[in-house]
Amino acid sequence: MPPKDAKGKGKAAKDTSKDSSNKSKDSKSKDTKGKDSTTSGGGASDKLKPATSINVRHILCEKHAKITEALTRIQNGEKFDAVAREMSEDKARQGGSLGWKIRGSLVGAFETAAFQLQPSTVDKPAIAQVKTEHGYHLIMVEGRK
């Protein structure tokens, strides 16, 4: 997230950084370093730009033990889409692909987590884990626009 101003509002701090030419240059240098933050965590990042749609994949399991097994396999180097084909319990059997989804078209907790993720690849996915009324999900995002 952008640095917060004295009132704790991130947007105001972000807007003021664009006003100063020195801060603008700092922001650009941070953007070039931003690639490190995308590959390091697998989660939300302070460099995300607002998106109206995302290309999302997921793995859905009814049991927590099964979703934990799927996560372990991915963390051990297996591709997200291969694990999804084998372990996901939903109809999205094409490697877990749900395709491009717009805001408002997904279940609340799923959508919130998905729109906070950085885009990544099935080889090295940035993953969010959430529980909805449908079960346990592992979520990754391949694109944002």
Side-chain angles (χ1 to χ4, degrees):
M1 254 185 189
K4 294 183 178 181
D5 66 2
K7 295 179 183 177
K9 295 182 180 178
K11 185 173 183 181
K14 186 175 181 181
D15 290 340
T16 58
S17 69
K18 291 179 182 177
D19 295 338
S20 169
S21 61
N22 288 341
K23 288 184 181 179
S24 178
K25 288 178 186 175
D26 289 343
S27 177
K28 288 180 185 175
S29 67
K30 288 179 185 176
D31 287 343
T32 59
K33 294 177 186 175
K35 292 180 183 176
D36 294 337
S37 66
T38 2
T39 57
S40 65
S45 170
D46 57 329
K47 304 288 188 241
L48 276 180
K49 294 181 180 177
T52 56
S53 62
I54 54 173
N55 188 5
V56 64
R57 289 182 184 266
H58 81 137
I59 298 171
L60 171 65
C61 298
E62 193 174 309
K63 304 279 185 189
H64 187 265
K66 190 171 180 182
I67 204 74
T68 303
E69 179 187 344
L71 180 60
T72 301
R73 288 176 58 181
I74 293 165
Q75 290 172 336
N76 289 334
E78 290 188 52
K79 291 184 177 183
F80 189 95
D81 58 342
V83 175
R85 275 188 207 96
E86 186 178 327
M87 298 191 73
S88 191
E89 299 171 358
D90 71 336
K91 296 176 184 175
R93 287 289 190 179
Q94 298 130 351
S97 178
L98 297 176
W100 286 94
K101 298 292 181 186
I102 60 170
R103 284 193 189 270
S105 66
L106 300 165
V107 175
F110 185 104
E111 181 173 291
T112 300
F115 274 91
Q116 291 176 354
L117 283 171
Q118 282 281 5
S120 59
T121 64
V122 292
D123 295 333
K124 294 185 180 183
I127 298 173
Q129 184 173 357
V130 295
K131 183 178 187 318
T132 68
E133 66 262 20
H134 301 290
Y136 296 92
H137 303 264
L138 295 179
I139 307 165
M140 72 161 287
V141 170
E142 292 184 293
R144 298 171 60 86
K145 58 182 177 179

